[in-house]
Each structure stands twice: as C-alpha cells, then as structure tokens.
Amino acid sequence: MKDFLAPELEAYLFDHARPPAPIFDEMRERTYAEMTSPQMQVGRIEGALLRILVAAIGARRILEIGTFTGFSGLSMAESLPDDGELITCDIDPKATAVARAFFDRSPHGKKITIALGPALETIAKLTGPFDLVFLDADKERYPDYYEATLPLLRQGGLLLGDNALWSGEVVAPTTASGKAIAAFNARVASDPRVDNVLLPVRDGIMVARKK
Ligand SMILES: C[S@@+](CC[C@H](N)C(=O)[O-])C[C@H]1O[C@@H](n2cnc3c(N)ncnc32)[C@H](O)[C@@H]1O
C-alpha cells in the first residue's frame, strides 16, 4: 500500500486530532518491530474515525473481520459502553496473541472477544443484530463478507470496508484482490438495501448504512 499523503500533511493531521491513548503508540511500535506486514494496521487517523463513528451511532455491538494486532478493534472498543461487545476474528495466532496482550492491558479490552478461525465460519455461527461491521481481512472475500454480514446488521447500522481503493487499483483492477474490492464497491454502490459513500481516507473506506 503506498503512502497517500506527504509526510508534512500527515503530521498536520496528527497535530489536529485528539492524540490516541499511549497504548496505541505501543501497539504501533510492537507491530512494526515484530510483524511482517505492519502497514496492515489502520493507524491513528482511521482509528480515530472508527472511534468517532462508533460513538456517533451509539453502537453497542460490533463485528470486526480482521483483528491483526488489535489497533482498529481497540479503537472501536474505546467508544463502546461498559456492557458493549466487539467480536473480532482472524486466522493468525501470532497476530491475535499480540492483540490479546494489548486488550488485556486496556480497560476496554474486556468488551472484546477474539474468534480464531476463518471469518466465514465464525460469521456463520453468529446471530445479529450488530450496530457496526468493519471488514478488514482477506480482500478476495469482501463480496462474500458483505453478503454474509449485511443480514446481521441492524437497520441504520454501518458496514465499513477498509482498503476500498486498494492503492488506486480499483479504477483498473488487475490482481485478484483489486478485482474483488472493485466488485465489492460496485455491489455496495448499486445495492438498494444501503446508502453509501466511498471515502478517500488512507487506502479508502467504503461506508454503507443499512436502510
Ligand atoms: C489488514 S489486517 C487487519 C488490520 C487490523 N484491522 C488493524 O487495524 O490492525 C487483515 C487481517 O485479516 C486476517 N485474515 C486473512 N484471512 C482471513 C480469514 N479468512 N479469516 C479471518 N481473518 C483473516 C489476517 O490474518 C490479518 O491479520
């Protein structure tokens, strides 16, 4: 994924948003020190947007597809009420062990349950309603994740798809991931069940609100 913003503009964004809790800096440092694809982490601007969206819709129950080392999950959990719930799934035991270690240290971690295993199998076992779904796992399955999770979303709930621009490749997709994300974007944009906007934040976020 390429950098979309000049470093000085990114620094300006950082200077003009509430700084994240110190644990998020540790999450970033440990992820960049230990993981092979650390850039998968959503980072502080998108993390702050997720936190604010969760608060804005008064979400109490969230489903996340793609835990990695926990940055997006903990960002969203911060805005859940004390009895709120975030279920997050991933197939990577190493990444989820890192996430679990951070969740255990945060006062918001008790709201989070990690489901280790293929996301489609986890989703099949869940019952709705969820207030928000965040898709951020294997891109080839985005259309499947969309169809599997939209029925679990409450009316007025938000479904967010990360990396919806795939570094700009969606305009003329060539890879399997680019083609799948482009198919996901087209399906959402033409789906009468949702209202939507594709935001150029970081690598793109598809925002779909269930009617
Ligand atoms: C882009 S990362 C998620 C980043 C995370 N949201 C964050 O902010 O740190 C994608 C994650 O999806 C996971 N993944 C890939 N295929 C999966 C599958 N079939 N089911 C569940 N998770 C999967 C990967 O192991 C990886 O940790």
Side-chain angles (χ1 to χ4, degrees):
M1 192 175 67
K2 60 185 173 192
D3 292 333
F4 283 97
L5 286 179
E8 62 271 24
L9 267 183
E10 184 164 73
Y12 185 85
L13 297 193
F14 286 6
D15 286 346
H16 292 82
R18 195 201 83 190
I23 195 169
F24 288 96
D25 290 332
E26 284 187 55
M27 286 175 111
R28 178 183 161 81
E29 280 160 25
R30 185 161 172 197
T31 301
Y32 276 76
E34 295 180 17
M35 306 304 291
T36 44
S37 300
Q39 77 290 347
M40 293 201 297
Q41 190 169 67
V42 293
R44 60 192 272 183
I45 298 300
E46 189 172 349
L49 177 63
L50 291 170
R51 184 186 75 232
I52 288 168
L53 287 175
V54 169
I57 66 165
R60 306 184 68 83
R61 221 172 156 237
I62 297 172
L63 173 59
E64 176 179 68
I65 312 299
T67 317
F68 193 42
T69 52
F71 199 104
S72 50
L74 194 60
S75 297
M76 293 189 281
E78 273 196 340
S79 287
L80 284 172
D82 270 353
D83 62 348
E85 176 185 36
L86 184 148
I87 298 170
T88 181
C89 41
D90 207 294
I91 47 168
D92 182 346
K94 182 182 173 193
T96 49
V98 174
R100 201 181 302 275
F102 282 110
F103 296 163
D104 285 347
R105 288 176 44 207
S106 164
H108 304 286
K110 65 179 192 308
K111 306 169 197 169
I112 303 176
T113 303
I114 300 174
L116 191 59
L120 284 172
E121 290 178 21
T122 298
I123 295 165
K125 291 184 212 144
L126 295 173
T127 49
F130 288 91
D131 302 296
L132 188 147
V133 173
F134 180 54
L135 305 184
D136 193 17
D138 44 335
K139 311 306 164 189
E140 292 86 347
R141 293 200 176 88
Y142 265 34
D144 296 333
Y145 293 146
Y146 179 65
E147 293 301 341
T149 59
L150 192 64
L152 302 178
L153 195 64
R154 72 155 161 92
Q155 193 179 7
L158 294 181
L159 185 145
L160 310 174
D162 199 23
N163 306 104
L165 293 177
W166 205 235
S167 300
E169 196 200 302
V170 284
V171 175
T174 51
T175 63
S177 293
K179 286 176 186 170
I181 293 174
F184 163 75
N185 289 340
R187 189 173 305 184
V188 173
S190 63
D191 190 341
R193 296 172 295 177
V194 299
D195 185 13
N196 83 293
V197 62
L198 204 174
L199 297 177
V201 175
R202 198 170 152 266
D203 193 27
I205 308 175
M206 175 61 84
V207 178
R209 180 180 182 272
K210 190 171 176 182
K211 290 182 188 165

